[in-house]
Amino acid sequence: MSKTNKILILVLSSIILVGSSLAYYVWRRYYYEEPVDHQKELRSTLLTYLSYPGYTHPEFSEQLTGTKAKLEVNQRDEHLIYFSIDKNDFDQKHTLSKLCLDPETVEFAQEKGNYHYLGNYRFYGDRSLFFRFPDSLFRIRKGIDFTIDYDPYAYTVSDEELLDFISN
């Protein structure tokens, strides 16, 4: 085989390799659909509703979490969620297991006087606890229906309806 043929084969191989890579990139970028993680999508949606309580009813948080804990900060950049709860409403065993898939990961704030310090946040509350954990560990109770009582009417909405509404 001559030197010219070897160079020609090398050039053609390079063109085929670059062309295949480019075709794969275009297919992946424009035609391939990532599989949807419904649990992650639902978790994100419900945390969004908790983050903006003006869009929900005051009882929404308690119905969703099964606790009296209040979402204080949804730190999306760090993927952390911060909650507060009155010390009288906190039960070490039950409260954390209702909120978090892995209660061992929950980090509590350090108290200094009436202030609680955790990460970059300071929370005021002498009768409260302030804590955080990764948003990916937020416990979602599947198939929950939220019932809101607007006397004399009661309105019920499912978690899937909330997901459809926010993504509409």
Side-chain angles (χ1 to χ4, degrees):
M1 189 180 294
S2 72
K3 186 175 182 179
T4 307
N5 286 344
K6 288 180 183 180
I7 292 174
L8 185 60
I9 290 174
L10 183 62
V11 168
L12 288 176
S13 299
S14 299
I15 290 172
I16 290 172
L17 182 63
V18 169
S20 324
S21 298
L22 184 61
Y24 175 75
Y25 171 78
V26 169
W27 172 79
R28 181 88 175 158
R29 173 94 176 160
Y30 297 104
Y31 299 106
Y32 176 74
E33 290 187 27
E34 293 286 334
V36 177
D37 182 349
H38 293 289
Q39 187 73 6
K40 183 178 179 182
E41 187 176 26
L42 181 60
R43 179 178 291 111
S44 175
T45 297
L46 294 176
L47 283 171
T48 299
Y49 279 112
L50 283 176
S51 299
Y52 299 100
Y55 291 107
T56 61
H57 192 271
E59 297 172 7
F60 178 78
S61 177
E62 192 170 343
Q63 288 184 30
L64 173 63
T65 64
T67 71
K68 299 233 185 234
K70 179 183 176 198
L71 179 67
E72 297 292 344
V73 178
N74 183 356
Q75 181 48 265
R76 292 177 186 250
D77 294 341
E78 297 174 4
H79 299 283
L80 293 170
I81 49 180
Y82 294 73
F83 284 90
S84 68
I85 190 169
D86 189 288
K87 289 178 182 177
N88 295 330
D89 296 325
F90 182 76
D91 175 2
Q92 179 80 25
K93 184 176 180 182
H94 294 95
T95 302
L96 295 180
S97 64
K98 287 181 179 179
L99 288 171
C100 184
L101 295 171
D102 183 8
E104 297 297 319
T105 62
V106 174
E107 182 182 357
F108 286 90
Q110 295 179 352
E111 293 183 39
K112 293 180 184 172
N114 290 338
Y115 288 98
H116 304 268
Y117 295 90
L118 186 58
N120 295 326
Y121 296 97
R122 181 177 75 170
F123 179 78
Y124 179 81
D126 60 341
R127 296 176 32 93
S128 298
L129 294 172
F130 187 53
F131 56 94
R132 72 179 178 186
F133 57 89
D135 59 5
S136 62
L137 296 178
F138 181 66
R139 184 178 295 280
I140 299 296
R141 298 185 306 167
K142 192 73 172 136
I144 189 170
D145 288 335
F146 302 97
T147 303
I148 308 304
D149 188 18
Y150 292 108
D151 196 34
Y153 305 103
Y155 181 71
T156 301
V157 61
S158 71
D159 55 3
E160 291 299 322
E161 287 176 303
L162 290 172
L163 180 62
D164 290 344
F165 179 74
I166 208 167
S167 62
N168 185 2

